[in-house]
Amino acid sequence: MSTKSSPKGASELLRAAGILKSIRRKGWRKAGISNQESVADHCFRMAVLGAYISEEAKLDPAKIIRMCLIHDLAESEIGDRTPEEKISDEAHRKEEDRICRAIFSTLPDRERKVLLHDWNELIEMRTNEAKLVWQIDKLEMGLTMKDYIRAGGNKSALAEFNPPAHLSKELRAILEKY
């Protein structure tokens, strides 16, 4: 680990990650689910999916896992917003970018550079890894939708969370088999 860091070190990153454990995903509540997953729950299953899928896709698993874990980190400050709560996608991304940069700014140099590089790739969708992470985001939502339906959730209320149109053929197959 690098020793050149702000006095806070990893504290801000760890604080933000901890907050995500208590933020419930709002879309599920809107669909009638009373005990919704947290943002951290969502990120964890995304990371597991990323580890699994990246190997077969011959992409960088460490980068994909990092991207899965940080993709919603800004929600530690702004909360989980449904699409209708966002002023625009562009304004939302700018706010997320500002928050993540502030969180990462407290890290030691090497770690900050790695996470900022991954973050930039992710929000700019520059690489195959970044493109896959955004598909994994949708796949995980579809898997969770199926979990809630199996647990007795209202299928028609949950239908809006079914993402096949946003998934590659390979990821659609994972969702269909689940």
Side-chain angles (χ1 to χ4, degrees):
M1 266 178 75
S2 171
T3 57
K4 293 181 182 180
S5 66
S6 77
K8 292 183 181 181
S11 296
E12 288 302 305
L13 178 66
L14 299 176
R15 179 198 58 78
I19 289 170
L20 295 181
K21 292 170 35 177
S22 63
I23 297 176
R24 299 289 166 197
R25 298 193 71 211
K26 287 183 183 177
W28 302 122
R29 181 178 37 207
K30 188 178 88 175
I33 303 301
S34 59
N35 188 20
Q36 313 87 16
E37 69 173 342
S38 71
V39 175
D41 295 330
H42 166 67
C43 293
F44 171 75
R45 182 151 67 173
M46 278 186 64
V48 171
L49 283 163
Y52 169 72
I53 295 167
S54 62
E55 291 295 335
E56 191 163 317
K58 296 190 182 352
L59 296 173
D60 183 348
K63 180 183 286 193
I64 288 173
I65 292 167
R66 285 191 307 269
M67 287 178 174
C68 288
L69 292 171
I70 66 172
H71 87 286
D72 278 341
L73 195 61
E75 291 184 14
S76 66
E77 296 289 327
I78 62 175
D80 179 48
R81 292 183 181 159
T82 60
E84 51 274 356
E85 292 175 317
K86 298 172 186 173
I87 295 169
S88 70
D89 284 339
E90 182 181 344
H92 183 72
R93 284 283 176 239
K94 282 183 181 179
E95 186 176 22
E96 287 181 322
D97 186 45
R98 179 187 56 76
I99 291 166
C100 284
R101 287 180 186 285
I103 291 168
F104 299 150
S105 74
T106 67
L107 295 173
D109 291 340
R110 190 172 121 230
E111 291 80 1
R112 181 183 68 248
K113 286 177 184 173
V114 168
L115 289 177
L116 273 173
H117 184 264
D118 291 346
W119 174 252
N120 287 331
E121 281 187 21
L122 185 62
I123 62 172
E124 294 170 10
M125 287 188 32
R126 278 192 280 177
T127 62
N128 289 332
E129 284 87 356
K131 291 171 188 171
L132 179 60
V133 168
W134 290 120
Q135 283 204 37
I136 290 171
D137 186 36
K138 300 297 185 205
L139 172 59
E140 198 288 324
M141 178 181 68
L143 297 172
T144 301
M145 173 205 66
K146 285 189 166 198
D147 290 340
Y148 288 142
I149 290 170
R150 288 181 184 128
N154 182 318
K155 191 173 183 174
S156 62
L158 291 164
E160 73 176 278
F161 299 97
N162 196 3
H166 301 285
L167 301 177
S168 69
K169 179 182 165 187
E170 296 79 14
L171 297 189
R172 208 169 28 252
I174 291 171
L175 180 62
E176 289 168 3
K177 290 177 186 175
Y178 183 71

